[in-house]
Amino acid sequence: MKGQIRELIATALTALRDAGTLTQVPDIDAIHVERARQAEHGDFASNIALVCAKTARMPPRELAAQLIDCLPPSVLLDRVELAGPGFLNFFVTKQALYSVIDEIRNAGAAYGRSNDGHGRRVLVEFVSANPTGPLHVGHGRGAAYGDALVRVLRAAGFAADSEYYVNDAGRQMDILALSVWLRYLELCGVAIDFPDNAYRGDYIRDIAAKLFKLQQQRLVRAEIDLTRNSGDDPDRHLDDLIEHTRSVLGAEHYLVLFTLTRDELVADIRSDLHEFGVDYDRWFFESELVESRAINGVIDSLLQSQHVYESEDALWFRSSAFGDEKDRVVRRANGNFTYFASDIAYQHNKVQRGYDTMINIWGADHHGYVARVKGSMAALGNKPDDLTILFVQFAVLYRSGEKVAMSTRSGEFVTLRELRSEVGGDAARFFYALRKPEQHMDFDLDLAKSQSNDNPVYYVQYAHARICSVFRQLTEKDIDTGWQHQTDYTLLSADHEIELLRALSRFPEVTAAAAAAYEPHQVAYYLRSLANDFHTYYNAHPFLASTPELRDARLALIDATRCVIRNGLWLLGVAAPEAM
RNA sequence: GCGCCCGUAGCUCAGUCGGAUAGAGCACCAGAUUCCUAAUCUGGGGGCCGCAGGUUCGAAUCCUGCCGGGCGCGCCA
């Protein structure tokens, strides 16, 4: 509807230009049409006359009046009023509102979709947590946001793919493998001294148990020496232990240990996210970039173009030339590439795969990386503007009014699994979806758990279940109805019904706006508002106890409402239960 | 110190490229069910949109400076 009104205005503007009243006409996309906030302002309002008044050298109200005269006739509009300093207020006909019911009925699951994206290819990368342990509630926020964004983008006509980047090639993975091996040795009866800075979580013991089950004592070595003192540097001590592990196990068995550790952790993350309703199109492993020598490739290329130089035995990317505070190391003096080097290769890989737009969803602690990553794109001849980096602020957890300290290494955190089992996946996803990502978030665990019935997701789901219940009654009471074939929508004249119809007609605008702004939370707020319109209607009017004609019209209306709620919840990855 | 994010009702948060009288949930108070699910609905109180300037027909929204909170500034990952 909004688009149609925009076209009507464009036609009127063109007519005024042809008549010589206007010298220039704004682009159709620049014509601002919005939903009126108040009923007396009609359904839609436009400030076009206020915007164009200056260039037209004409008082806004006079221009607005001429625009109204030039508007082509339309079945959509009942009347157009001139208001305030020069607003155009559009009043939509009831007939146009009624047609929304058939529109929804015909489109079904496709209602709310658009082709704004014109099939442009978008890659959304999110979560991408290092596979060093279970996901925690912070990752859950990124997952809920990223997945909803992908769904919303697809609904708006973008060819959106989702991807998880797995850092499986660095030192942390070796520390992880070491941690598993040490726990495994414990199971084998070998006395060890577990380092404080290795991974201490219980999940390490689980993987060790699996390793023991598969390998029995095969990864125990007589020459193990874990008592060696590497001095006061705990990091150095870990590195020595890793080196020792490699050497006593040999390459083949180290690979067994390493691969099992990685695969177990990745599988755990994958199933965790799957149960959260998040399934990726691709899991991209950093090790692929190592094995294909893609990292060497981009660094060599940057060396040739002088964007990378050598200093103090290390290789540095000249990111200061691209607005970064300082240059960054891509290959350490010890010959190992940094994670940043992998990131350069990974980002380049995305570009080569032909994406028009790339969206990275990062934790807020990574904002310092923007300049160097965008700089590396520019240095490789790619367009930095094709990459949009969105930040998800941390969810600060509170339990019993106290901040919950979180540390992956120490194993002290609330996992996404715990959250899901305690408040439910639907509630968790909706809870996350209600907040825009850059907003700081206080996540009160006690509130989320103890008052889970207050979570608005139930409010929306209940509306859906209530509608389903009405239709069950229809069957149970064996009511003879032809609502699916013959309905006289003009009987829907109550204020509540008109309000509900208006709300339903708004859904396509909501999905389009949510996609354009990368803000799926708009869908969540819309759903709550729609559910409110429905519940109000439900309480005010009986559906089944009316005359057959009115009953059938109302059934058509709430069936359409059910469809929109279902479509909207789907965009957020939340179920639409038929009974509660 | 520098950079990024945020500051709206008691609490948690919306507020659509600047638009007309700033909204919702929770909490609080008062009500609604012989009828389709009361996980619902109706009504009420509650605001210096952090502060101060600026931009213009118009600012919660844009700009500048302060104040307050979060995060980041490694040859870590």
Side-chain angles (χ1 to χ4, degrees), chain A residues 43-183:
Chain A
D43 296 285
F44 294 91
S46 179
N47 63 352
I48 188 68
L50 291 160
V51 174
C52 294
K54 187 167 283 183
T55 53
R57 282 190 285 195
M58 192 188 291
R61 283 187 64 97
E62 186 180 326
L63 177 58
Q66 292 199 24
L67 273 169
I68 290 174
D69 289 340
C70 292
L71 281 172
S74 167
V75 290
L76 187 64
L77 296 178
D78 185 36
R79 65 182 191 280
V80 182
E81 290 181 354
L82 166 54
F87 289 105
L88 296 180
N89 289 336
F90 297 86
F91 292 76
V92 167
T93 61
K94 280 187 178 177
Q95 205 54 47
L97 284 175
Y98 296 143
S99 69
V100 169
I101 298 176
D102 285 330
E103 206 181 312
I104 295 169
R105 188 181 288 187
N106 293 332
Y111 181 70
R113 292 181 174 270
S114 70
N115 192 30
D116 292 359
H118 296 100
R120 279 169 55 86
R121 296 192 63 205
V122 182
L123 181 67
V124 184
E125 182 216 321
F126 57 100
V127 183
S128 297
N130 287 354
T132 53
L135 299 176
H136 54 66
V137 293
H139 299 128
R141 189 177 188 186
Y145 173 62
D147 185 61
L149 178 59
V150 169
R151 290 167 186 250
V152 163
L153 286 173
R154 284 179 185 156
F158 290 89
D161 292 330
S162 59
E163 191 158 295
Y164 189 116
Y165 178 61
V166 185
N167 284 116
D168 65 336
R171 176 171 175 265
Q172 291 303 317
M173 286 302 296
D174 288 319
I175 298 174
L176 206 61
L178 169 71
S179 306
V180 169
W181 191 56
L182 292 174
R183 291 303 188 199

Side-chain angles (χ1 to χ4, degrees), chain A residues 140-373:
Chain A
R141 189 177 188 186
Y145 173 62
D147 185 61
L149 178 59
V150 169
R151 290 167 186 250
V152 163
L153 286 173
R154 284 179 185 156
F158 290 89
D161 292 330
S162 59
E163 191 158 295
Y164 189 116
Y165 178 61
V166 185
N167 284 116
D168 65 336
R171 176 171 175 265
Q172 291 303 317
M173 286 302 296
D174 288 319
I175 298 174
L176 206 61
L178 169 71
S179 306
V180 169
W181 191 56
L182 292 174
R183 291 303 188 199
Y184 160 84
L185 291 177
E186 273 184 337
L187 290 174
C188 295
V190 179
I192 59 153
D193 185 16
F194 200 89
D196 288 340
N197 54 344
Y199 289 97
R200 309 185 69 91
D202 289 339
Y203 59 95
I204 298 294
R205 295 176 191 274
D206 295 341
I207 299 171
K210 184 146 188 177
L211 182 64
F212 180 72
K213 194 177 171 190
L214 291 169
Q215 297 292 329
Q216 296 297 319
Q217 303 270 341
R218 279 196 286 277
L219 298 187
V220 181
R221 292 292 182 276
E223 64 272 35
I224 294 170
D225 173 16
L226 300 170
T227 57
R228 303 181 307 168
N229 191 341
S230 304
D232 294 335
D233 186 347
D235 277 328
R236 177 77 189 282
H237 180 56
L238 270 190
D239 286 337
D240 288 347
L241 283 175
I242 290 167
E243 197 50 46
H244 182 60
T245 306
R246 278 200 156 108
S247 103
V248 298
L249 278 180
E252 190 186 333
H253 277 122
Y254 184 79
L255 189 64
V256 168
L257 166 69
F258 183 94
T259 307
L260 179 90
T261 302
R262 180 193 67 183
D263 290 353
E264 282 295 309
L265 283 162
V266 170
D268 180 70
I269 290 171
R270 194 194 293 246
S271 74
D272 195 4
L273 289 170
H274 173 73
E275 288 161 20
F276 198 43
V278 179
D279 292 293
Y280 286 89
D281 293 307
R282 180 164 178 184
W283 291 71
F284 193 104
F285 287 83
E286 182 189 9
S287 52
E288 294 176 34
L289 297 170
V290 176
E291 284 155 23
S292 69
R293 298 191 60 77
I295 301 173
N296 298 274
V298 291
I299 300 303
D300 285 349
S301 161
L302 290 171
L303 265 169
Q304 287 201 348
S305 61
Q306 312 263 306
H307 291 296
V308 163
Y309 62 92
E310 185 168 354
S311 173
E312 298 169 50
D313 297 328
L315 290 182
W316 300 71
F317 173 60
R318 212 182 295 278
S319 49
S320 58
F322 299 96
D324 199 3
E325 300 165 14
K326 49 177 285 192
D327 294 345
R328 308 289 175 176
V329 172
V330 290
R331 199 181 72 194
R332 291 189 282 268
N334 65 12
N336 292 333
F337 286 116
T338 60
Y339 268 60
F340 176 46
S342 301
D343 291 341
I344 295 173
Y346 177 44
Q347 190 56 45
H348 189 57
N349 177 286
K350 288 180 181 175
V351 173
Q352 287 179 317
R353 279 187 274 157
Y355 287 103
D356 303 305
T357 301
M358 288 151 286
I359 299 173
N360 290 3
I361 298 171
W362 287 352
D365 54 335
H366 284 68
H367 68 247
Y369 293 166
V370 174
R372 75 190 73 164
V373 170

Side-chain angles (χ1 to χ4, degrees), chain A residues 66 156 169 183 295 305 404 411 416 429 444 464 480 507 514:
Chain A
Q66 292 199 24
R183 291 303 188 199
I295 301 173
S305 61
V404 180
L416 177 58
R429 284 202 66 154
D444 188 328
H464 185 269
D480 182 30
F507 184 56

